[in-house]
Amino acid sequence: RDFNERCAQCSEVNWGLTDGGRFYCRSCHNVTERTREVVNTDFISNTRVQTISKSLRKQEKTDKGCEWYVCEGFQLVLKKQAEALEALGVCPQMKDEILCNFWRRYLQKSKQAYCNRPAGETVKALSVCDSSTDVDSEPETPSLLHFLSLSESEGDLQTDCSFASSASKMSESTSVCSGSVDGSLYLMKNQKEKLRMTMPMTLSLCYMALLWLREPMTLSDLLRFVVEGHIPYLNFFQHFPEKMKLCGLDLKIFYVESWPVYEEVYKKMLELAAFLDLPRFPDITDSCFLHPDMLCMKYLMEANLPDELHTWTCRVVKKICIGEADFLTLVPGNKSTRNVKYDVLAAAVIVVVLKLLFLLDDHYEWLLSDFAGERNKNNKEGGPYFEFKKWYKVIKCSLDVEQKKLDEERAKYLWRCEKPLFYSAKNKSKVLKRRQMVVNLQNQFGKLSGSVRPAEKPHPSSFQLSWSEENTDGNCFHGHSLKGILQEKRGLLTAMNPDYWLCTVKLCNEKECGHLAHYREVDFPQSYHFVLRLFSFLLRIQPSSIHDEVCVIEHKLFNKKLCKKPRYNTVLRK
């Protein structure tokens, strides 16, 4: 009654009081900044106290963040990784059709969603409930389980709500150890039986989806894009929404402190495929990029080797029947078939062909190179003959430079994320101020030391080393001829070299030591080690992995001539 000013919007004088003590217009509902002075404390003070306490509860809830489950965090990781792969040119259906269905199947198999939980089961496993039992929950916060475009026609989440309510009641005790509701339960030992999801396993799921679609991206390419930052993986939790608070055990789940390992990701992919009971994958035919003939062509180009070598790699692939669809296609859970690492297989085939033609014993290849060099001096017509010595010098120079650059980038990598972690509004300003101070000091010391800011990363490419025949420096060997090392016999071109040495006479039991053959650099010729080192860099794997595959191919190629040969350098007649 005492407030007689006209409303700024409708010019009416018809004021009421909000719960917060402010004036609002009953005609147009305009709320002003003016508040009424407290006259009757018995009436107004109670209202003000209730309003303040309500505001504090909201603030406390905002600081604590919303309730979220570990599987929701991994679903967000998969969503971002799928979007990054789609930006790199992967088929758009990978995310919403393939990867999404794999993820749903995993949630169902691990009994986290899409299942009816048995009655009376104790709260030991993970679960997600799409309806909250908290009275003060905010309905406007959507569940992260809908980020992957889940359609209603394919079924809704069917989980035991009593479990979710029990987990919500337990969240007060587990919030000390983790920000998520089930962070402490997720790391319990009994979860290992259900193939607990980890950050490396997200890459396994992505590669499994790529393999199902037969996309032109090998596992080595996928992991390299991860290391280069094109696919989110390292320090991913900085992409989490503000309401998803991470602390304690959550960091142990989502914080990555090492580069992804090829063998680990591949092994988990096989375990996931068997765990999900997936059917036979689509056939890998000779028209697919993952076929050895296709990949050999790619790696020959990247290794700057003559194009004519591709004919020999195709002959080896056909000879030992590793280009058949039954051999290349993944059949989950089938222990009778050997699982194929497509990129490693193609690299090993090239190594075997180089041994067939150049022997790689630190002697014969140099003799052939000298012979080809003399022919090139007198050869004025046609393409030049391939010189192994010249190729070795060119590749070694480029390889040393690229390896040094890679080592420096890994050594300088800052494992601490750019986005600081804070768990309450009280410490937020201090953490941000401290982080800004660190950034300023880094910039100042960088200027004093003369260090240059790294340039933006170029667009990702499948080729790490590129060679062009248009260069006049003669460093491209794609068009060089192999005539200097070949001879015609019975209408077919065969190698002048009649001998071959085996890497190993007997293969080991892979289950016992983890390798089919043991590899030590000092036990083998330097030329052979250099070739392994080259493909090890291109695939970002250990040379021993390629060596294992080389041994397997050799035993298939010379399976009739392996008796009574006691040493690794035993000479075989082709």
Side-chain angles (χ1 to χ4, degrees), residues 377-439:
K377 291 180 181 179
N378 302 325
N379 182 23
K380 298 182 180 179
E381 298 179 359
Y385 289 0
F386 177 71
E387 298 181 43
F388 187 88
K389 183 185 296 184
K390 187 177 180 180
W391 172 82
Y392 173 84
K393 293 179 180 179
V394 172
I395 294 297
K396 187 177 186 305
C397 181
S398 299
L399 184 60
D400 291 343
V401 172
E402 294 296 329
Q403 186 67 55
K404 182 179 179 181
K405 186 187 302 182
L406 176 63
D407 294 340
E408 290 179 352
E409 290 178 356
R410 291 195 172 188
K412 294 179 180 178
Y413 184 79
L414 297 177
W415 291 98
R416 181 175 297 180
C417 64
E418 298 179 359
K419 179 182 178 181
L421 294 174
F422 42 84
Y423 311 110
S424 65
K426 181 179 180 181
N427 298 329
K428 182 176 180 179
S429 59
K430 295 181 180 179
V431 173
L432 291 177
K433 185 177 180 179
R434 187 179 303 170
R435 178 61 181 170
Q436 186 62 38
M437 187 183 301
V438 171
V439 173

Side-chain angles (χ1 to χ4, degrees), residues 29 99 121 231 243 291 342 371 416 427 441 508 528:
H29 304 286
L99 186 60
E121 182 175 346
I231 299 176
K243 292 185 177 181
H291 193 274
Y342 304 98
F371 173 74
R416 181 175 297 180
N427 298 329
L441 288 175
C508 298
Y528 176 73

Side-chain angles (χ1 to χ4, degrees), residues 28 127 252 282 288 473 506 521 526 531 536:
C28 64
S127 182
K252 186 176 181 180
C288 297
D473 53 8
K506 185 178 180 181
E521 180 181 352
Q526 288 299 311
V531 175
S536 171

Side-chain angles (χ1 to χ4, degrees), residues 413-476:
Y413 184 79
L414 297 177
W415 291 98
R416 181 175 297 180
C417 64
E418 298 179 359
K419 179 182 178 181
L421 294 174
F422 42 84
Y423 311 110
S424 65
K426 181 179 180 181
N427 298 329
K428 182 176 180 179
S429 59
K430 295 181 180 179
V431 173
L432 291 177
K433 185 177 180 179
R434 187 179 303 170
R435 178 61 181 170
Q436 186 62 38
M437 187 183 301
V438 171
V439 173
N440 293 336
L441 288 175
Q442 288 177 345
N443 294 336
Q444 292 177 11
F445 281 110
K447 293 179 181 179
L448 291 174
S449 61
S451 61
V452 183
R453 280 181 169 270
E456 294 185 1
K457 293 182 179 180
H459 189 74
S461 173
S462 297
F463 292 90
Q464 303 175 67
L465 303 176
S466 58
W467 314 92
S468 175
E469 297 183 9
E470 299 177 356
N471 295 340
T472 58
D473 53 8
N475 290 339
C476 181

Side-chain angles (χ1 to χ4, degrees), residues 287-300:
S287 61
C288 297
F289 177 82
L290 297 177
H291 193 274
D293 292 343
M294 293 286 189
L295 285 178
C296 283
M297 185 185 302
K298 172 184 182 297
Y299 293 137
L300 286 173

Side-chain angles (χ1 to χ4, degrees), residues 3 5-9 15-18 20-25 29-37 48:
F3 188 58
E5 295 183 8
R6 293 184 177 274
C7 177
Q9 289 190 0
W15 299 104
L17 284 175
T18 64
R22 294 182 179 182
F23 290 101
Y24 76 95
C25 180
H29 304 286
N30 176 36
V31 181
T32 66
E33 296 296 330
R34 292 284 300 274
T35 58
R36 182 183 179 184
E37 296 181 0
R48 296 296 295 274

Side-chain angles (χ1 to χ4, degrees), residues 31 42 44 58 107 125-126 190 225 286 311 334 361 380 387 446 457 468 496 515 522 527:
V31 181
D42 294 336
I44 299 296
K58 284 186 176 181
L107 292 176
L126 308 178
N190 57 359
F225 291 150
D286 54 1
T311 303
N334 190 353
D361 63 346
K380 298 182 180 179
E387 298 181 43
K457 293 182 179 180
S468 175
M496 296 176 59
H515 292 279
V522 295
S527 298

